[in-house]
């Protein structure tokens, strides 16, 4: 437990916040730095073929300890953290033997993790929690996954008597900005199934994700000095406001939907009188319904453009990822073996849907069935993020079991 905690705290202190505006890959230098540290630690464990490629992806091999053995599996986590909350100067705070109740974060006392509204906190009583001081995110998304994989690898490396199949370890970059697997060569990864360690709580297997498109709405106005604007100015700022006002809000928004309902989520706006841009996430479990959402946007844009001569509104839609359930059907053992590993680790596994995407969504789409496993993440992308050491330790046990379950399988 202590080595897992030390690992986690060491990794979160390295700033690896993804940067959507960057022209480089990976989008921030900290991802390369963390990758280098992990590479050194993997080499020190004696893993084979450990390398960091020119894109910052770290790969290594844990060879099988049994013969014959089942197919190679991959454990995958991402090195970057969300761009939505600062990941610079993370100061992890360890709360041992959590007594229950609200947790006030000392660096910004307006930030309080409230027992009410954080139902998972009740189950964490008596356990060791890790939070930030309230001024940054924690980055348990996904450094909990990184720490869990590293600890499981260290455990297997130190216990060659545990009979398991071959495992590939893979750390990716820029997952949070939708580029986690852009440069990942599946032939080079060489695995039959993958598991991302990037999930909340314990004992859950995400086997369905959203399907996702990104819509960018560009509003072209006409700019002119306000003194002589009468009848001539077309203000893109006002049109952006009007478009937002007409978009569904009391329905079809992340703040008003749950479970299997999709949404349109405007998450960034920038611009001025001459031009304004809205970035809008389109999400649904049912892939064809993404096209309906894009059409809704186009209809609103056309309406507004017709009402305001001189304006021009473009809507461009690009695919981001697809519901992994569509691809997992071709290797059902990806999920059933994870359930078996969780049972062997003393858990009661639960299949869950995730209202988002993971590297696994795209990997599954590319042909590598990759469900997502719990590793103790809570309140992602927020200064109120926290993790539970015992849940991370459970995830380590699950991985150790998983390597054995697949080792026993027919290839
Ligand atoms: Zn993540």
């Amino acid at each position: 437990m202590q080595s897992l905690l030390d690992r986690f705290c060491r990794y979160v202190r390295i700033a690896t916040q993804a940067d959507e505006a960057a022209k480089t890959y990976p989008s921030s230098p900290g991802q390369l730095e963390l990758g280098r540290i992990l590479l050194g630690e993997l080499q020190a464990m004696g893993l084979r073929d450990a390398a960091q490629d020119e894109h910052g992806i770290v790969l290594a091999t844990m060879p099988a300890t049994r013969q014959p053995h089942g197919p190679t599996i991959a454990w995958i986590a991402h090195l970057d953290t969300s761009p939505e909350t600062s990941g610079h100067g993370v100061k992890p705070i360890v709360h041992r033997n959590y007594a229950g109740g609200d947790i006030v974060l000392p660096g910004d006392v307006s930030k309080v993790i409230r027992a009410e509204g954080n139902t998972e906190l009740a189950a964490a009583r008596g356990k060791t929690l890790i939070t930030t001081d309230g001024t940054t995110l924690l980055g348990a998304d996904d450094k909990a996954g990184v720490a869990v994989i590293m600890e499981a690898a260290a455990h297997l490396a130190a216990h060659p008597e545990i009979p398991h199949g071959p495992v590939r370890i893979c750390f990716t970059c820029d997952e949070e900005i939708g580029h986690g697997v852009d440069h990942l060569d599946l032939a080079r990864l060489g695995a039959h199934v993958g598991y991302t360690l990037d999930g909340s709580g314990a004992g859950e297997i995400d086997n369905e994700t959203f399907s996702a498109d990104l819509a960018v709405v560009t509003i072209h106005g006409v700019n002119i000095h306000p003194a002589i604007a009468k009848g001539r100015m077309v203000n893109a700022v006002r049109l952006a406001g009007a478009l937002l006002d007409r978009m569904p809000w009391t329905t079809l928004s992340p703040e008003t939907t749950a479970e299997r309902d999709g949404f349109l989520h405007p998450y960034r706006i920038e611009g001025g009188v001459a031009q304004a841009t809205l970035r809008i996430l389109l999400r649904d479990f049912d892939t064809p319904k993404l096209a309906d959402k894009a059409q809704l946007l186009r209809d609103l844009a056309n309406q507004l453009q017709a009402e305001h001569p001189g304006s021009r509104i473009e809507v461009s839609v690009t695919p981001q990822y697809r519901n992994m359930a569509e691809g997992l059907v071709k290797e059902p053992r990806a999920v059933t073996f994870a359930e078996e590993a969780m049972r062997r680790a003393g858990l009661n596994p639960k299949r869950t849907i995730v209202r988002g995407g993971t590297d696994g969504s795209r990997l599954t789409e590319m042909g590598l069935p990759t469900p997502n496993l719990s590793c103790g993440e809570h309140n992602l992308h927020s200064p109120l993020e926290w993790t539970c050491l015992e849940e991370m330790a459970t995830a380590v046990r699950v991985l150790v079991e998983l390597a054995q379950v697949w080792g026993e399988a027919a290839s």
Side-chain angles (χ1 to χ4, degrees), residues 213-385:
D213 286 351
L214 169 67
V216 178
V217 179
T218 309
I219 302 168
H220 302 273
V222 177
N223 195 12
I224 188 165
H225 194 288
I228 51 169
K230 189 173 183 190
R232 297 160 79 183
M233 179 187 281
V234 180
N235 188 344
V237 172
R238 291 195 189 277
L239 294 184
L243 185 75
L244 283 172
D245 187 51
R246 291 178 195 190
M247 277 179 59
W249 181 4
T250 54
T251 60
L252 288 178
S253 67
E255 57 272 47
T256 60
T257 55
E259 306 290 327
R260 303 192 71 89
D261 295 328
F263 55 70
L264 297 90
H265 173 43
Y267 72 102
R268 183 170 301 168
I269 178 167
E270 46 204 5
V273 174
Q275 185 179 315
T277 309
L278 298 170
R279 296 170 74 85
I280 301 166
L281 303 180
L282 311 182
R283 299 289 186 264
D284 210 292
F285 286 96
D286 195 359
T287 305
K289 287 190 182 162
L290 290 178
D292 302 346
K293 292 179 171 60
Q295 193 53 48
L296 190 151
L297 270 185
R298 288 199 178 93
D299 291 346
L300 290 176
N302 289 340
Q303 246 176 44
L304 206 58
Q305 183 178 290
E307 290 166 23
H308 296 273
S311 72
R312 189 161 53 84
I313 307 180
E314 299 160 341
V315 179
S316 79
V317 176
T318 44
Q320 293 182 304
Y321 55 85
R322 292 295 174 256
N323 187 343
M324 66 164 67
E326 295 170 10
L328 285 179
V329 289
K330 79 171 206 195
E331 179 46 288
R333 293 183 299 176
V335 174
T336 57
F337 281 13
E339 288 173 325
E340 173 61 16
M342 285 180 176
R343 279 191 289 268
R344 290 188 192 182
L347 294 165
N348 188 11
K350 200 167 101 207
R351 294 185 187 196
T352 43
I353 61 172
V354 52
R355 291 174 60 78
T358 61
D359 273 354
S361 315
R362 284 192 54 211
L363 288 170
T364 303
E365 195 184 350
M366 287 157 64
L368 181 73
T370 308
N372 183 44
L373 306 181
S374 284
C375 60
E377 299 175 1
H378 299 271
N379 289 348
L380 317 186
H381 300 191
S382 157
L384 304 182
E385 197 185 358

Side-chain angles (χ1 to χ4, degrees), residues 5-14 89-95 106 129-134 136-138 387:
L5 179 62
D6 292 346
R7 255 182 220 294
F8 177 77
C9 291
R10 191 159 73 234
Y11 302 157
V12 297
R13 284 194 182 94
I14 299 160
V90 174
K91 294 181 246 346
I93 297 178
V94 178
H95 309 256
L129 305 187
I130 305 114
T131 67
T132 64
D133 69 349
T136 65
L137 50 59
L138 177 61
T387 187

Side-chain angles (χ1 to χ4, degrees), residues 25-26 32 52-57 188:
Y25 193 98
L32 292 173
Q52 181 182 37
D53 73 12
E54 69 272 30
H55 307 295
I57 297 168
R188 207 171 142 232

